[in-house]
Amino acid sequence: MRLSTWSVLAVTLLLSACANGGPWVEVGGERFKVEIADDDAERARGLMFRDELATGTGMLFIHEDEQPQAYWMKNTRIPLDILYFDNDRKLVTQQRNVPPCSGGNRCPSYPSDQPARYVLELNAGEAERLKLQDGAEMTFGKGIPPVR
């Protein structure tokens, strides 16, 4: 199997995070190592162009304010669960089993039903496996940057 430069970089970052204890969140009674996307460039890039997301990992998007959010799957190759959380880190919207999209700007968006501040992307099927329901709480572990 041949790994792309992005895959090697992602694996290296995740291994580094794991070795250093790295950032994590807990939801549904399970802990996930997360990459943090807390600025416009990181949020825009998200999980684009990746061929896989390792089991037990995800990406946590942190927004400056709680407000309606909408994510899309432009250039995303991995089916995902997109989970929206409010200021209190309570689950307010779930977009489950969102398919990859190679349609560029024609990719549909997947909005939150209520204002959200945090968005957690996990491999598709995780929300169902964990039996997540709206109102579920997300706990931050060490390594999550303070809210600005």
Side-chain angles (χ1 to χ4, degrees), residues 18-97:
C18 290
N20 297 324
W24 57 266
V25 299
E26 188 172 299
V27 64
E30 192 161 319
R31 189 173 288 186
F32 293 89
K33 298 276 186 192
V34 291
E35 295 175 62
I36 306 295
D38 62 354
D39 65 34
D40 289 339
E42 291 169 344
R43 286 189 294 263
R45 185 175 49 254
L47 292 170
M48 286 183 175
F49 306 110
R50 298 199 194 177
D51 293 320
E52 65 181 341
L53 182 60
T55 301
T57 67
M59 181 169 276
L60 178 66
F61 297 81
I62 302 173
H63 293 272
E64 285 78 20
D65 300 304
E66 181 183 77
Q67 60 186 334
Q69 305 292 341
Y71 277 56
W72 63 348
M73 298 290 283
K74 179 180 178 180
N75 298 319
T76 304
R77 301 173 180 159
I78 310 161
L80 297 171
D81 288 342
I82 304 173
L83 308 172
Y84 296 91
F85 295 83
D86 66 13
N87 276 334
D88 297 323
R89 295 182 238 153
K90 302 243 190 235
L91 184 60
V92 295
T93 302
Q94 302 179 57
Q95 297 284 358
R96 294 183 178 192
N97 299 307

Side-chain angles (χ1 to χ4, degrees), residues 105-128:
N105 290 337
R106 294 183 317 271
C107 294
S109 64
Y110 297 89
S112 59
D113 295 333
Q114 297 179 40
R117 181 157 197 185
Y118 306 100
V119 181
L120 179 63
E121 291 185 343
L122 301 173
N123 281 309
E126 289 293 333
E128 182 177 348

